[in-house]
Amino acid sequence: MSAILAVCGDAFCAMVSDGRLVEEPITGTQPKIVNEDVPKVRKVNRNVLVGFAGDALAAVQIINALDEYETQYLTLEKVVKILCGKAPSVRVQPVGVRLLVGGRNRKGQFVLTTLGSAEQYVPQTQPARAGAYLIEGACSHTEIAPWLEQEVKPRAAEWRSLDDIAHTLDDCIAKLAQQDQSVNTHYYRELVL
């Protein structure tokens, strides 16, 4: 149903998603494509990004809970709290939902938080460190960890600009799309500096 990739450094957070929405559950060898242009990453405000993979309807319902607030004033911690509060009340297809929340926390440090239906939406937050990158992703129908290990992490040493990072993430999604029919190559990108 989707792929989302995120990279956070000590001075930025970037997310890239594909745009395909398929009907769940997938039956047969070819998924029924509902839409090719669904952005799965949202810039909440100048400090916070949210992205998702999995059940798009459920994810959008969870993320739309943010609209009940003045989003320009939401901290990353508050965004995570709102998502964790809303998520248990939303019915989720068996494919599940994975949310990534990245950006600056209240102290101005870049962090990346992951939460999902498989872990009962218990958030896991990692702070970015100088000279290192937090690299995370999610994909509905393909195990993402090997792709991050093979396609993204080895290229991190070559990154010299945000364009380099975007190209690496785009390339990873393109290769995923060749294997996983629930992913396409319509890219959506968001950035917090």
Side-chain angles (χ1 to χ4, degrees):
M1 181 92 95
S2 52
I4 181 81
L5 302 174
V7 174
C8 278
D10 60 355
F12 73 94
C13 184
M15 288 189 191
V16 176
S17 78
D18 79 311
R20 183 168 285 171
L21 174 64
V22 299
E23 187 176 275
E24 290 289 348
I26 294 176
T27 56
T29 58
Q30 293 286 359
K32 181 180 179 190
I33 298 168
V34 176
N35 195 319
E36 294 282 18
D37 297 307
V38 176
K40 298 168 194 146
V41 60
R42 174 180 171 186
K43 191 168 192 170
V44 176
N45 58 39
R46 64 185 185 92
N47 292 316
V48 184
L49 304 174
V50 177
F52 72 87
D55 182 344
L57 179 59
V60 168
Q61 289 176 15
I62 296 166
I63 293 168
N64 282 350
L66 300 173
D67 295 334
E68 297 175 21
Y69 300 83
E70 293 288 333
T71 57
Q72 67 193 31
Y73 301 115
L74 291 177
T75 64
L76 185 138
E77 293 87 347
K78 182 67 174 177
V79 167
V80 170
K81 185 176 181 179
I82 293 166
L83 298 176
C84 288
K86 177 66 175 179
S89 69
V90 176
R91 184 174 169 271
V92 178
Q93 294 287 327
V95 70
V97 170
R98 188 86 172 142
L99 300 167
L100 304 179
V101 183
R104 280 192 199 89
N105 66 12
R106 282 189 302 250
K107 297 178 181 176
Q109 301 164 316
F110 280 89
V111 300
L112 186 58
T113 300
T114 60
L115 57 145
S117 55
E119 303 85 22
Q120 289 72 51
Y121 303 104
V122 174
Q124 301 294 315
T125 301
Q126 300 176 59
R129 297 181 318 273
Y133 297 106
L134 295 172
I135 301 171
E136 189 61 60
C139 188
S140 302
H141 298 284
T142 300
E143 174 60 40
I144 197 70
W147 290 90
L148 297 176
E149 290 297 325
Q150 296 167 11
E151 302 294 330
V152 179
K153 290 181 181 179
R155 291 175 61 182
E158 302 167 6
W159 291 340
R160 301 291 177 254
S161 69
L162 291 170
D163 283 342
D164 293 342
I165 295 167
H167 291 305
T168 299
L169 299 180
D170 290 355
D171 289 348
C172 185
I173 289 176
K175 289 179 182 177
L176 273 167
Q178 291 174 354
Q179 176 185 315
D180 185 335
Q181 297 293 316
S182 72
V183 177
N184 72 6
T185 56
H186 292 218
Y187 305 112
Y188 294 89
R189 298 177 195 88
E190 290 293 346
L191 177 67
V192 168
L193 293 172

